[in-house]
Amino acid sequence: MLVLVKSDYEELSRTGAQIIAELVRKKPNSVLGFATGSTPLGLYRELIRLHRNEGLDFSKVTTFNLDEYVSLPPEHDQSYHYFMRENLFKHINVDRRFVYLPMGMAQDVAAHCDWYEEQIEKCGGIDLQILGIGANGHIAFNEPGSSLGSRTRIKTLTGTTREANARFFKKSEEVPKYAITMGVGTIMDARSLLLVASGEGKAGAMQATIEGPITAMVPATIVQMHRRATIILDREAASKLTGIYTD
Ligand code: GLP
């Protein structure tokens, strides 16, 4: 596990984007796993800049997103479909035919989850999966207690996650109760992982993730078992680490 502590959010975002850009240049038909949440936004902005100013080409890239709220249609402004379209996809030359996100409106959720797993496999697996982290240590919507071997499925969101995400909705009651999420096992199958964490609110979760014992109660701790995982933190998110890490 490579742990990089950067001086601020901008540097964290630039470093993360460089890792992705390097992969896309080396393998133009890379399969990228994208994440939502506020943390990867800086990284997406930097990817957009690299596309515009340096011609970073996404036309052959395939993308899989981690998760989506159940019951939100793709056009809902809090859906992750909308988030990805607005914050990344419409600004780069990704081919919409190669973009995959779980469908929150799926009629048969279990069948849809199986289909999603099959698509990842058909595309040859994910080369690099970007991850944020919840303050409770969740990755994607794998809440504490999620099986560390889990696959794409429906999960009930915890009260703390719904509260944390309520800031984006008009009323807290509007936050969906369920989400479709790649499983912890699905995430671990990616050939490489890039986890980004920023701010003091993530310091406890990052201390547990990097220095704590592996436990399903902090799903992100499983990243310790991955052979090619990079974690980039800013100083605030790293403030509870006791080890010495590179910058
Ligand atoms: C949501 C997403 C996660 C994300 C988390 C943290 O719950 N499902 O993938 O990591 O939010 O979001 P933020 O980066 O806004 O703190």
Side-chain angles (χ1 to χ4, degrees):
M1 214 167 45
L2 176 65
V3 178
L4 302 172
V5 180
K6 296 291 164 188
S7 55
D8 56 30
Y9 179 69
E10 277 63 43
E11 225 200 307
L12 174 162
S13 301
R14 261 198 308 275
T15 309
Q18 268 158 23
I19 292 172
I20 299 161
E22 206 175 293
L23 174 66
V24 172
R25 285 192 192 107
K26 209 167 72 191
K27 185 180 176 193
N29 63 344
S30 289
V31 180
L32 300 180
F34 282 118
T36 51
S38 48
T39 316
L41 278 175
L43 196 153
Y44 296 160
R45 274 195 291 271
E46 181 61 12
L47 287 181
I48 294 166
R49 196 192 65 77
L50 290 172
H51 168 67
R52 285 188 182 146
N53 300 353
E54 295 180 22
L56 185 62
D57 180 18
F58 291 91
S59 62
K60 295 190 179 68
V61 162
T62 299
T63 76
F64 284 93
N65 259 75
L66 286 170
D67 45 15
E68 177 60 289
Y69 289 116
V70 164
S71 79
L72 295 193
E75 55 281 358
H76 191 287
D77 65 0
Q78 290 312 322
S79 74
Y80 287 165
H81 277 78
Y82 186 93
F83 177 101
M84 290 308 299
R85 199 163 53 236
E86 289 305 306
N87 293 303
L88 185 63
F89 296 151
K90 78 175 193 191
H91 306 287
I92 60 175
N93 65 335
V94 73
D95 186 329
R96 297 298 157 95
R97 289 172 306 166
F98 305 154
V99 168
Y100 295 85
L101 286 100
M103 289 298 296
M105 301 293 281
Q107 293 288 319
D108 184 340
V109 173
H112 178 65
C113 293
D114 290 346
W115 175 85
Y116 202 68
E117 289 276 337
E118 276 164 29
Q119 300 318 301
I120 296 174
E121 224 177 285
K122 264 193 196 159
C123 294
I126 294 170
D127 288 302
L128 183 147
Q129 177 64 56
I130 300 158
L131 295 171
I133 185 168
N136 64 0
H138 74 216
I139 44 175
F141 272 130
N142 294 286
E143 297 283 30
S146 292
S147 159
L148 298 178
S150 51
R151 313 303 305 185
T152 303
R153 71 216 182 291
I154 188 167
K155 283 296 287 178
T156 307
L157 304 182
T158 61
T160 52
T161 295
R162 292 188 67 224
E163 268 164 41
N165 292 356
R167 66 187 195 275
F168 302 113
F169 289 81
K170 283 182 206 88
K171 288 194 217 131
S172 54
E173 308 86 75
E174 282 178 21
V175 185
K177 292 190 176 66
Y178 307 98
I180 295 174
T181 178
M182 272 189 209
V184 181
T186 319
I187 293 168
M188 287 296 284
D189 282 350
R191 280 184 277 283
S192 58
L193 301 179
L194 175 62
L195 192 157
V196 285
S198 164
E200 241 186 310
K202 302 292 171 68
M206 288 318 297
Q207 199 277 330
T209 297
I210 295 168
E211 299 178 340
I214 296 171
T215 167
M217 296 317 288
V218 184
T221 56
I222 195 65
V223 169
Q224 293 174 24
M225 293 288 289
H226 202 283
R227 289 179 188 199
R228 294 191 60 207
T230 302
I231 299 183
I232 316 178
L233 311 99
D234 60 12
R235 286 221 179 96
E236 289 75 23
S239 60
K240 291 194 175 149
L241 297 179
T242 56
I244 296 169
Y245 301 96
T246 39
D247 54 11

